[in-house]
Structure formats: structure tokens, C-alpha cells
Amino acid sequence: MSDPGTDAGVFTKSEMMIVAAARALEGQRVCFVGVGLPNIAVNLAQRTVAPGLEMVYEAGVFGARPQRLPLSIGDPTIVTGSTAVVSMLELFGYYLQGGLIDVGFLGAAQIDRFGNINTTVIGDYAAPTTRLPGSGGACEIAINAREVFVIMRQSVRSFVETIDFRTSPGNLGGAEDAERIRRAGGWLGRGPSVVVTDLGIYHFDEHGEMRLDSLHPGATLEDVRASIGWDVRVADALATTPPPTAEELRLVRDELDPGGVYTK
């Protein structure tokens, strides 16, 4: 994929990823959004396929309609047009643990084939090579949102056979294992359902394992297999992701990320 241009035929891998992730939210109602890539994807969805989407931010904001892309969950713009601003205790206790969140949209440093997420450390926990921000609210979101979407760039360092630390559970060791533990723990959510990368779109099969269902324009199966730490499952009828429209690119480039922080 080329550097960004002025028409819908020229776009970056990151722009394709953001657009594809935003489209996945069509028909969704309430989304608990994390910072970083999930933030721009959900804000794009609200401007395109999901205009009625209620965005929930960890800082205690429900029904946010930010005038610009928030820089963090502490950015004052997230309260713009919001339905309610409450304490984090109330947000997590009454909204998330109360079963009112349809989608939790997360990023990750590492993910495995079952959608388990690491945002804590790279390497040994006691002496890591990299210490990451940690869970924040991601673990609670992962187990209590009705379903979980993930957006992240794909590489052998991030899509790994075994994550270094399980910060947020996905399908644990597989669908049967996950269902048993969800019932025993009283978890409200069904776990991960969509993973969008800069190469394609994954869903989860009956075993709770990621399956590549769509390749982005310009990406190949060889690219996918070279950037993933396991023998990835591929749909029999592998689709091609529709490219971004001119309007989607305009919104990303002119309104949401004019500085190219997320798209370059």
C-alpha cells in the first residue's frame, strides 16, 4: 500500500486498518473504547456507519461525542455532548458490570491465537525487557462487555504462540475452556469476536481460535503467515476487504488525525 494521497485509491496500511475496524461497529449501540488505535476507529465509526453509537470512556464518561479525537481518557474533549459524567467506580460498577456495554474495543501489545491479550510486560514478569502500561480497565472490559473487538498492527512480536503475561482473557485455552470459566466466574461477556490488523480481519471459529476471514488490499497470505507466531487458520472463502472510500479517508486525514499520529 502506498503513502497517503488525495483519493480513495491511495491509502496506507494503517488507514485501511482503522477504516476496517470502524466498519465492524456497524449496528452496535454502546462501545467502551480504549485509547490509541481503538480511539480513532470508534470515533470514525460514529461519523460513518454508527452515528448513534454511545461511546464510553474509562474516565467516567458515557455517551461521549468528542469535538476532536481525544488524546487520552483524561482529555477534556471527551465530555463534549456526553449523556453522563460519573465516577470510575460508578462507570465500572453500574455500566460495565451491570451488563450495559455491547462492545469493548481494545488494543494490545501481544495477542495469541485464542484472543488472550498482554498489555503488562514483555519478557519475564520479575525482570521484563519492557514494562507496559498494564491493564487499566482492559481486564474488566474483556470479561464483562458482551463482545470484544481488538485492533493492532500485526507482527511476529505481537501475534505470538504464547503471550508473556495474560492481562485480559480472551478464549483462554479454547472455546470449551473459556465457556466453563466464564460460567464459573459469572463473567457477562462472550469474549473476543473480531481482530482487525493492518493485513486483514479475523473472527473466531467454534474452537475459539482466530480465523483469517478477509485480506486487505495489497496484503497476501504470505504476508500474514510471515507475521504471525502460529499456523493460522484461513477461511475457505477468503474475502478481500473493500478499500476505504474518499469520505472515510477525508475524515481520518482532515478531522481525526491531521498530524498522521495513527496513520503513518
Side-chain angles (χ1 to χ4, degrees):
M1 298 177 192
S2 306
D3 290 333
T6 57
D7 59 80
V10 184
F11 50 89
T12 68
K13 293 168 66 176
S14 292
E15 286 173 334
M16 180 72 261
M17 173 176 59
I18 290 164
V19 167
R23 291 171 180 167
L25 284 165
E26 184 172 7
Q28 299 292 346
R29 184 75 179 99
V30 182
C31 180
F32 205 128
V33 55
V35 296
L37 285 169
N39 197 8
I40 187 171
V42 176
N43 274 270
L44 178 60
Q46 196 181 61
R47 289 162 169 78
T48 53
V49 298
L53 189 68
E54 301 283 357
M55 288 194 289
V56 182
Y57 283 95
E58 185 177 335
V61 179
F62 186 91
R65 291 191 166 272
Q67 291 181 327
R68 56 172 172 77
L69 187 69
L71 301 175
S72 71
I73 60 167
D75 190 330
T77 196
I78 65 173
V79 305
T80 308
S82 59
T83 304
V85 180
V86 299
S87 70
M88 291 179 67
L89 175 63
E90 291 171 304
L91 185 73
F92 278 81
Y94 299 147
Y95 290 90
L96 182 59
Q97 295 174 348
L100 301 180
I101 304 299
D102 296 320
V103 176
F105 214 131
L106 302 174
Q110 288 183 330
I111 192 169
D112 67 15
R113 68 177 69 206
F114 296 116
N116 300 298
I117 286 173
N118 173 24
T119 56
T120 302
V121 294
I122 301 298
D124 180 74
Y125 183 82
T129 57
T130 304
R131 190 168 293 282
L132 302 167
S135 172
C139 181
E140 288 291 328
I141 295 167
I143 66 177
N144 288 309
R146 292 192 178 102
E147 57 182 318
V148 173
F149 291 4
V150 180
I151 179 173
M152 56 189 296
R153 294 180 177 88
Q154 188 170 328
S155 73
V156 290
R157 294 189 302 173
S158 56
F159 279 63
V160 296
E161 178 68 34
T162 303
I163 57 178
D164 293 331
F165 187 93
R166 189 166 65 202
T167 311
S168 304
N171 289 321
L172 300 170
E176 185 175 341
D177 182 35
E179 181 59 26
R180 174 179 56 80
I181 292 176
R182 286 186 188 115
R183 286 200 306 267
W187 299 356
L188 301 178
R190 299 189 299 272
S193 56
V194 181
V195 177
V196 180
T197 79
D198 50 349
L199 296 178
I201 302 171
Y202 298 80
H203 297 94
F204 289 81
D205 64 16
E206 68 275 15
H207 305 291
E209 184 172 339
M210 257 192 267
R211 179 191 62 233
L212 179 68
D213 284 342
S214 183
L215 269 176
H216 296 332
T220 67
L221 272 177
E222 289 71 26
D223 294 332
V224 169
R225 290 184 170 126
S227 57
I228 200 165
W230 64 87
D231 185 13
V232 64
R233 300 184 182 214
V234 178
D236 293 334
L238 183 62
T240 299
T241 310
T245 65
E247 176 60 10
E248 287 169 330
L249 290 176
R250 185 195 68 79
L251 288 167
V252 170
R253 295 172 183 174
D254 297 344
E255 291 190 17
L256 293 174
D257 191 23
V261 174
Y262 296 102
T263 56
K264 292 181 179 178

